[in-house]
Amino acid sequence: MTIKQHIHSILITTIIITPHAHSITRTIEPTRSRSTQHYTVAIIGTGYVGLVSGAGLAEFGNTVICADIDQNKIDILNNGNIPIYEPGLKDVVARNIEARRLMFTADVDAAIKQADAVFIAVGTPMGADGSADLSYVESVVNTIARNIDNYKVVCTKSTVPIGTGAWIERTLLAHGVDADLFDVVSNPEFLREGCAVKDFLEPDRVVIGANTQKALNIMCGLYNHLFAQGTPHVLTTVTTSEMIKYASNAFLAAKLSFINEIANLCDATGGDAHTVAYAMGLDNRISAQFLKPGPGFGGSCFPKDSQALLYMGEQNNVKLPVVQASLITNETQKTKPLEKLLQHMHNNLASKTVAVLGLAFKANTDDVRYSPARQTIQGLLDHGAHVKVYDPAAMENMKALFPAIEYCDDTYQAVENADAIIVMTEWDVFKHMNLERVRSLVAQPLLIDARNIVNTDELTALGFTFDTIGRAYLNQ
Ligand code: UGA
């Protein structure tokens, strides 16, 4: 390591723990003994965050008990299956069960009792007013209060509003739990659905918010495997750590809304937003990631967390117009694929057959929460179209929302007799579909590509009329 790299690593691993956010009164560093300790972790909640974090922490060498009140989920896991769609997760889970570092149980009380650290990884869905609904978190905190009889770190892994750590502490104390028996810590997760395993095992950074030395040592012990290989880590207060998660998600959401606005302007002026994004991304200060124009962001995180940040702003009398604008732009963006289709079909979709390729909010997930495909399908139905759909993983989840549309077995069945195709999700299977075969099956060669993944030269050669978001076509 060069001197410069060494100084850089010291800087990024500098630990500033302040009991009060505004006054740096002392500096705590993890003590050396942390590396030799072995800890047991209880992860409460076996959804995306809980399951991936549990498997990942076990992969780092810790003993992990994943607990969930849903016995059905636990049975599935104990039978060697994974209740969610997440590439690569099954292997990590199997490997760690085999190594006896990972266990699953519906006995949440027992899991908590055995743990040095209890990770809260239950859902924090969006409440009616945009706030994060903490009822599941509260229920876990109550369970911890009933079972805690020796010192434990209580760690929030789910995205929780700023101030939740302090609220958990107050709640445990109100239950009569001795203050010496616990410390509340924040350790936000930055995993993306679809590449969550890699994101956990090879993160850009680990953020830990802890207000005591004891808690910090345990948390650093859990991540020692990563720290030993030089993963940057930010050790800070609980409140700052909670804020880092929201700020990161809202910033990425705003970045997407920005490039989508540029894409719309490109569509109106003939510019090419993808080239604009590429050139912007070459500037290290901007970076190329999260600059792909599309049908708007979805999923359980960006919409929910941006909304929750706005709510926190309102509660604290702080205006956040950038965050608000990014959400407004995103809602408009979700209407673009249908708008483009209507332009090409002279506003008439009555009795037309439209094939929607892709239902998930992005590729490599079965998640349809806030998926732009939902707006598109609803819009198509409102205009009287017959809707045929295909998605490699998300059809079951969409059936619950749109039971009456036609679910197909593959791309080709979906496009058969279609008057138009809309590509909503960037699955590989759509990138590589056989366009010649598609051309032979459709009633009309019209394709709207909301993800800019279909080969436009081939589309042109096959006589398709096509449109996308933010792409200028010299040959159209
Ligand atoms: C997001 C964050 O990326 C994670 O770091 C974070 O941990 C997670 O939320 C969370 O809070 O749990 P995720 O929602 O799984 O992860 O999905 P992303 O890959 O971030 O995609 C979000 C949306 O942005 C998708 O709708 C995607 O299609 C869209 N997107 C992304 C684009 O339209 N263009 C891009 O260039 C990138």
Side-chain angles (χ1 to χ4, degrees):
M1 194 187 266
T2 64
I3 291 178
K4 197 175 162 199
Q5 280 170 329
H6 183 64
I7 291 171
H8 181 64
S9 93
I10 290 172
L11 281 177
I12 54 180
T13 58
T14 291
I15 301 117
I16 303 167
I17 301 290
T18 62
H20 307 292
H22 301 296
S23 59
I24 297 175
T25 54
R26 63 195 166 115
T27 301
I28 306 174
E29 296 192 12
T31 54
R32 288 199 169 275
S33 62
R34 67 191 162 99
S35 56
T36 55
Q37 292 282 334
H38 183 91
Y39 297 111
T40 299
V41 186
I43 310 257
I44 317 301
T46 51
Y48 282 106
V49 171
L51 196 50
V52 176
S53 306
L57 284 169
E59 184 81 353
F60 295 157
N62 304 292
T63 300
V64 179
I65 309 165
C66 286
D68 200 299
I69 49 170
D70 185 342
Q71 180 71 54
N72 183 37
K73 257 192 196 175
I74 296 298
D75 290 344
I76 293 173
L77 287 160
N78 276 330
N79 286 329
N81 295 312
I82 304 290
I84 56 170
Y85 180 92
E86 189 57 49
L89 183 57
K90 199 171 176 179
D91 289 349
V92 184
V93 168
R95 190 160 59 237
N96 284 284
I97 291 176
E98 174 79 23
R100 296 177 181 277
R101 286 191 297 261
L102 183 61
M103 282 143 272
F104 299 101
T105 180
D107 189 346
V108 180
D109 296 21
I112 290 170
K113 282 199 172 91
Q114 291 172 63
D116 300 299
V118 181
F119 278 48
I120 302 175
V122 290
T124 53
M126 200 195 295
D129 54 3
S131 65
D133 173 356
L134 289 181
S135 51
Y136 299 111
V137 175
E138 186 169 13
S139 148
V140 176
V141 173
N142 293 341
T143 313
I144 294 172
R146 281 201 308 275
N147 290 287
I148 193 164
D149 52 11
N150 62 352
Y151 177 83
K152 294 179 197 308
V153 166
V154 176
C155 173
T156 52
K157 196 69 177 152
S158 320
T159 305
V160 291
I162 293 120
T164 301
W167 168 77
I168 291 175
E169 189 172 331
R170 286 197 303 276
T171 308
L172 288 172
L173 292 173
H175 276 291
V177 179
D178 193 312
D180 291 339
L181 279 185
F182 71 93
D183 281 305
V184 179
V185 160
S186 159
N187 172 219
E189 195 37 71
F190 298 100
L191 57 84
R192 287 162 296 176
E193 291 176 22
C195 47
V197 173
K198 186 171 185 296
D199 284 349
F200 195 91
L201 298 179
E202 299 162 38
D204 288 346
R205 80 297 206 188
V206 174
V207 174
I208 297 172
N211 295 346
T212 70
Q213 180 77 65
K214 197 173 180 180
L216 184 64
N217 281 353
I218 293 179
M219 290 303 292
C220 288
L222 298 178
Y223 285 100
N224 205 31
H225 174 88
L226 287 180
F227 296 170
Q229 62 194 35
T231 303
H233 43 296
V234 177
L235 309 180
T236 183
T237 61
V238 174
T239 304
T240 303
S241 170
E242 290 167 345
M243 181 64 89
I244 288 168
K245 176 60 194 270
Y246 279 99
S248 301
N249 272 5
F251 185 83
L252 289 169
K255 194 174 179 186
L256 289 174
S257 278
F258 181 87
I259 198 63
N260 282 333
E261 285 184 4
I262 296 297
N264 297 339
L265 192 55
C266 281
D267 279 344
T269 56
D272 188 292
H274 296 266
T275 310
V276 173
Y278 173 71
M280 284 172 69
L282 291 175
D283 184 330
N284 286 332
R285 294 168 303 173
I286 298 174
S287 119
Q289 292 189 52
F290 281 71
L291 273 186
K292 281 196 205 84
F297 57 78
S300 69
C301 305
F302 287 177
K304 170 176 81 77
D305 295 348
S306 298
Q307 198 66 56
L309 204 54
L310 268 189
Y311 180 84
M312 284 180 253
E314 267 167 36
Q315 295 296 298
N316 290 284
N317 230 352
V318 176
K319 291 195 167 44
L320 302 169
V322 173
V323 178
Q324 187 161 27
S326 119
L327 283 171
I328 294 169
T329 294
N330 197 50
E331 280 316 298
T332 313
Q333 197 63 21
K334 288 183 176 184
T335 64
K336 292 292 167 194
L338 179 67
E339 211 174 88
K340 282 174 182 280
L341 180 69
L342 285 166
Q343 272 165 17
H344 286 279
M345 302 208 50
H346 313 290
N347 276 325
N348 181 15
L349 293 179
S351 307
K352 301 285 186 202
T353 297
V354 180
V356 177
L357 300 183
L359 302 174
F361 79 97
K362 62 173 185 176
N364 300 319
T365 177
D366 61 354
D367 197 343
V368 298
R369 284 176 290 178
Y370 299 96
S371 174
R374 290 164 64 159
Q375 260 90 342
T376 303
I377 293 171
Q378 189 56 58
L380 290 169
L381 293 175
D382 292 345
H383 280 85
H386 171 65
V387 182
K388 295 173 80 181
V389 302
Y390 173 66
D391 185 288
M395 298 219 285
E396 282 312 309
N397 286 337
M398 204 56 126
K399 273 181 195 163
L401 300 164
F402 293 102
I405 58 176
E406 191 178 338
Y407 290 86
C408 300
D409 292 340
D410 64 16
T411 306
Y412 306 102
Q413 195 183 74
V415 301
E416 203 171 349
N417 294 325
D419 295 293
I421 301 169
I422 307 188
V423 178
M424 290 299 299
T425 313
E426 72 283 20
W427 285 101
D428 278 349
V429 71
F430 305 136
K431 267 181 214 164
H432 306 306
M433 63 186 159
N434 180 336
L435 288 173
E436 220 173 306
R437 186 167 166 205
V438 171
R439 176 67 186 90
S440 71
L441 291 167
V442 292
Q444 285 188 64
L446 169 60
L447 186 142
I448 310 294
D449 180 3
R451 296 286 185 168
N452 192 45
I453 55 167
V454 186
N455 185 323
T456 51
D457 289 340
E458 235 188 298
L459 285 174
T460 308
L462 289 165
F464 271 89
T465 300
F466 61 88
D467 206 343
T468 173
I469 290 173
R471 176 64 90 197
Y473 295 105
L474 299 175
N475 57 357
Q476 283 263 293

